[in-house]
Amino acid sequence: MIKIQGLYKSFGDLQVLKGIDYEINEKEVICVIGPSGSGKSTFLRCINLLEDITDGVVFIDGVKVNDPGTDINEIRKEVGMVFQQFNLFPHMTVLDNITISPRKIRKMDSKEANALARQLLDKVGLADKADAYPEQLSGGQMQRVAIARALAMQPKVMLFDEPTSALDPEMVKEVLDVMKQLVYEGMTMVVVTHEMGFAREMGDRVLFMDEGILIEDGTPEDVFDMPKSDRTKAFLSKVL
Amino acid sequence: MITIDFPDIRFDMIWNYKELFIRGIWVTLGLTLIGYVSGVILGLLLGMGKLSKKKWIYYPCKYYVDFFRGTPLLVQILLIHLALIPTVFGESLGYFVSGALALSLNCGAYNAEIIRAGIQSIEKGQMEAGRSLGMPRGVAMRYVILPQAFRRMVPPLGNELIALLKDSSLVTVIAANDLLYAGKVVAGAYARFWEPYITVAILYLLLTYIFTKVITYVEKRFSNSYVPSQRRRIFSFGRSAAGG
Ligand SMILES: Nc1ncnc2c1ncn2[C@@H]1O[C@H](COP(=O)(O)OP(=O)(O)O)[C@@H](O)[C@H]1O
Ligand SMILES: [Mg+2]
C-alpha cells in the first residue's frame, strides 16, 4: 500500500534521511522507534509530503506521491495524520474541527458531516464535548479529537507522530486505547512512538531508525528480544 | 521682556463657516474610510504575496511595500495627483479620486506588513494540520490561518486607522476640501490663525476619539478566549454600575 524507495531528505547541508527503502502493506501496523533527532518525524512527513523529498520515490496505492503531476491534496485525503502537539484549530468548536475538512474538501453536507463527527466523537469517548473549544479540553481529550478529525476524512492510512509525547502520564492510556481500537478495526497505521509497550503489543513490525538509516526491522519479538544491531541494543537498554 | 499678546478669541467666525467644516469632516471621513477599506484588501493581497515562495509574486509585492513605506505620503499624493492620473487619464479626476487612491495605496503597504506578520505569527502546525487533512493552501489560509491571524492583527490595524485619519490631512495640498482645508480657508479669509486651527485640531481629536472607541470595542470583541461564554463582557459597565 505504501512503497518507499531510496528516500533521501536533506535540510540544506544536513542530511536527515539517508536512503530508506520500505514497504507497508494494507492493515499493517508499523511502529517506528529510535533516538530523538534520528529522522523519524521527517520520515513520516515525507510520506504525505509535508516535507518535500530530496531524492527517491514514495508510492501510495501505486500513485507516485512526489510526482509533479500528482495532486497532493488527493493523496492527503487518504492519509490521516496525528501530531505530537495536536494542532487542533483553536477558533473552532470540536465539532467544527472535525467537520471542516469533510465539508470543504469532501463536499459533504453539514448534516451528514455532523452525524459523522458525532459518531467519531462517540468512538473516542468524547460525545459530550462536541460544542467545547479546544482550550477547554485536557491534552488527552485534545489528542482524541485530533484522531477523530483525521478519521473524519475516512483515510486509508493513519500516520501518528509521537501522539502521546506531549501528554501528562495519566492521559497517555486514553489515547493509546483509542489507537488500539483502530488497530483492531484493521486500520493501516504508521506510529512513531516512545511507548515501547504499545509497539510490542500492537505493532506488526517494529522499525528502529538511527541517524537517518533503518537499522533494524522485524516483528516486535525480533527487535525487542533479539536485536541484531549493537545500536538497537544500546537504544533499547536506555529506554526499556 | 517678551509679552504674549493673546488676541481676543472670536469663535463666531468659525460658526459662519460651519458648512465648510461639516463638509470637511465628511471629506476627511470619506477619504479615510475608502483609503482604509481598500488598504486592508490591498494589504491582504500584498501581505500574502510577501509570504509567497514564488519570486515573481514576492518581489513585486516587496518592492511595492518598500516604495510606499519608504517615501513620504505627501510626495505620493503629489505624484499621483499631478503626474500619474493626468498621464493615464489625460486629465485630473479631481482631488477626491487622487486623494483616495494615494491613501489606499499607502495604507495597503503598511497593512501588508501587519498582515504578513499576523499570518507568520500562527504556528506552523496549523497550516500543516490543514494541509494534512487535504486542504489546498488557499482553503487552509481562509478557514484555518486567517481567522486566527486576524485577531492578532486587530490592534496594529486599529493603530493604522488612526494614523490614516490624521495623515489624510496631507491631501490639503491638492486642494481637497477636507477638514484641514476648511481651517485654511477661514484662516485666509480673516488672517487669524488661533480659532480656525484650534477648531480643526479639536475636530480631529473628536474623530480620533470616536475611532479609538470603535477600535477598543473590536479589540475586546476579539481578545482573549475563543470560547464565546468566556469572552470579556463588552457591556459589563452597565451591569456593574447597576449592581454597585
Ligand atoms: N524543518 C527543518 N529544518 C532544518 N532541520 C530540520 C527540520 N526538521 C528537522 N530537522 C532536523 O532533522 C533531524 C531529524 O529530525 P526529526 O525528523 O524531527 O527527528 P525525530 O523525529 O526522530 O526526533 C534533526 O537533526 C532536526 O534538527
Ligand atoms: Mg519527532
Side-chain angles (χ1 to χ4, degrees):
Chain A
M1 159 157 230
I2 300 179
K3 199 159 141 194
I4 297 155
Q5 287 174 335
L7 175 61
Y8 284 84
K9 170 68 188 176
S10 305
F11 294 104
D13 289 338
L14 178 71
Q15 203 174 51
V16 175
L17 299 180
K18 301 165 188 169
I20 292 187
D21 297 287
Y22 205 67
E23 214 166 311
I24 297 162
N25 301 314
E26 212 171 318
K27 302 201 173 191
E28 250 182 340
V29 178
I30 310 297
C31 291
V32 184
I33 60 172
S36 113
S38 58
K40 304 182 299 295
S41 299
T42 307
F43 171 65
L44 212 56
R45 293 157 58 85
C46 282
I47 295 176
N48 66 350
L49 231 59
L50 280 185
E51 302 289 355
D52 39 60
I53 291 170
T54 307
D55 198 15
V57 283
V58 174
F59 291 97
I60 295 182
D61 269 346
V63 180
K64 186 176 165 192
V65 171
N66 55 331
D67 187 286
T70 303
D71 180 357
I72 188 59
N73 297 314
E74 288 302 316
I75 303 278
R76 287 182 181 140
K77 285 184 197 173
E78 312 299 336
V79 182
M81 184 151 195
V82 174
F83 301 85
Q84 184 175 348
Q85 298 298 336
F86 329 131
N87 296 340
L88 291 182
F89 306 136
H91 57 300
M92 296 179 195
T93 62
V94 164
L95 199 72
D96 287 341
N97 261 280
I98 300 173
T99 59
I100 177 94
S101 235
R103 282 187 287 125
K104 300 298 171 195
I105 307 303
R106 292 242 189 252
K107 306 289 176 207
M108 207 181 265
D109 66 48
S110 297
K111 222 170 144 187
E112 199 184 341
N114 286 348
L116 171 66
R118 286 185 192 282
Q119 181 197 329
L120 287 168
L121 279 174
D122 200 36
K123 177 172 176 160
V124 301
L126 293 170
D128 55 333
K129 296 292 184 192
D131 298 319
Y133 281 79
E135 68 189 81
Q136 296 171 302
L137 304 180
S138 70
Q141 292 173 331
M142 282 199 255
Q143 193 61 297
R144 285 186 279 154
V145 172
I147 293 172
R149 177 176 71 175
L151 291 174
M153 288 300 280
Q154 292 157 332
K156 293 182 187 149
V157 190
M158 286 281 284
L159 309 176
F160 293 84
D161 191 0
E162 300 197 28
T164 57
S165 294
L167 299 177
D168 291 335
E170 73 270 20
M171 295 171 183
V172 170
K173 186 171 177 295
E174 65 192 48
V175 172
L176 291 181
D177 284 346
V178 169
M179 291 167 62
K180 284 181 189 172
Q181 199 184 333
L182 288 180
V183 176
Y184 296 136
E185 286 169 11
M187 177 62 82
T188 310
M189 292 163 60
V190 185
V191 185
V192 174
T193 186
H194 288 300
E195 296 294 328
M196 298 303 153
F198 179 87
R200 185 188 277 276
E201 186 185 349
M202 290 293 143
D204 292 311
R205 280 190 287 159
V206 173
L207 207 158
F208 174 69
M209 193 172 204
D210 195 13
E211 292 177 4
I213 302 170
L214 287 191
I215 305 284
E216 196 133 345
D217 165 32
T219 64
E221 291 73 29
D222 289 345
V223 174
F224 286 118
D225 303 332
M226 299 169 278
K228 293 188 214 74
S229 152
D230 289 340
R231 285 210 237 177
T232 317
K233 285 176 197 160
F235 174 75
L236 289 174
S237 71
K238 276 184 232 154
V239 298
L240 287 181
Chain B
M1 192 176 133
I2 301 168
T3 57
I4 299 174
D5 186 18
F6 276 104
D8 52 331
I9 302 286
R10 289 175 47 210
F11 273 106
D12 57 312
M13 67 173 67
I14 304 298
W15 191 250
N16 294 338
Y17 279 88
K18 62 177 183 300
E19 262 93 51
L20 200 59
F21 281 98
I22 290 167
R23 189 190 151 85
I25 290 176
W26 284 118
V27 170
T28 289
L29 277 178
L31 286 173
T32 304
L33 292 179
I34 292 174
Y36 190 69
V37 171
S38 38
V40 168
I41 296 167
L42 187 60
L44 196 59
L45 298 175
L46 289 166
M48 294 208 284
K50 282 198 69 178
L51 290 169
S52 174
K53 287 202 189 91
K54 300 190 181 91
K55 286 198 163 69
W56 61 273
I57 296 179
Y58 170 79
Y59 278 106
C61 294
K62 175 184 155 42
Y63 290 138
Y64 177 97
V65 171
D66 287 352
F67 177 81
F68 279 92
R69 281 165 52 104
T71 55
L73 175 56
L74 187 54
V75 174
Q76 295 162 17
I77 292 170
L78 291 171
L79 257 180
I80 287 167
H81 186 65
L82 301 174
L84 181 69
I85 289 189
T87 304
V88 174
F89 294 96
E91 56 179 342
S92 167
L93 301 179
Y95 73 84
F96 197 90
V97 173
S98 303
L101 183 63
L103 293 177
S104 303
L105 297 181
N106 182 272
C107 185
Y110 281 91
N111 287 342
E113 285 302 283
I114 294 172
I115 287 164
R116 180 194 56 75
I119 292 173
Q120 271 184 331
S121 76
I122 304 301
E123 308 69 63
K124 210 165 120 259
Q126 291 288 309
M127 177 57 91
E128 289 182 351
R131 299 304 306 273
S132 78
L133 289 165
M135 296 183 193
R137 179 172 290 277
V139 173
M141 194 51 103
R142 161 80 182 74
Y143 293 102
V144 177
I145 305 297
L146 286 180
Q148 296 181 63
F150 177 68
R151 294 175 158 249
R152 302 191 186 175
M153 297 171 195
V154 167
L157 283 179
N159 292 342
E160 204 46 50
L161 176 59
I162 303 287
L164 188 69
L165 174 69
K166 293 185 288 182
D167 288 348
S168 74
S169 62
L170 289 170
V171 297
T172 296
V173 295
I174 56 171
N177 289 324
D178 74 323
L179 185 46
L180 177 58
Y181 193 75
K184 274 177 81 170
V185 168
V186 176
Y190 290 91
R192 292 178 66 98
F193 303 101
W194 276 102
E195 295 87 343
Y197 287 119
I198 284 288
T199 306
V200 166
I202 289 171
L203 289 173
Y204 272 111
L205 195 60
L206 197 70
L207 291 180
T208 51
Y209 180 78
I210 294 167
F211 277 36
T212 307
K213 281 283 165 204
V214 174
I215 291 163
T216 310
Y217 173 87
V218 176
E219 271 180 28
K220 280 197 179 153
R221 187 83 185 72
F222 286 103
S223 68
N224 63 52
S225 176
Y226 282 110
V227 185
S229 65
Q230 284 178 13
R231 273 183 209 139
R232 205 175 291 151
R233 289 197 188 283
I234 294 150
F235 297 111
S236 61
F237 55 86
R239 279 159 191 263
S240 57

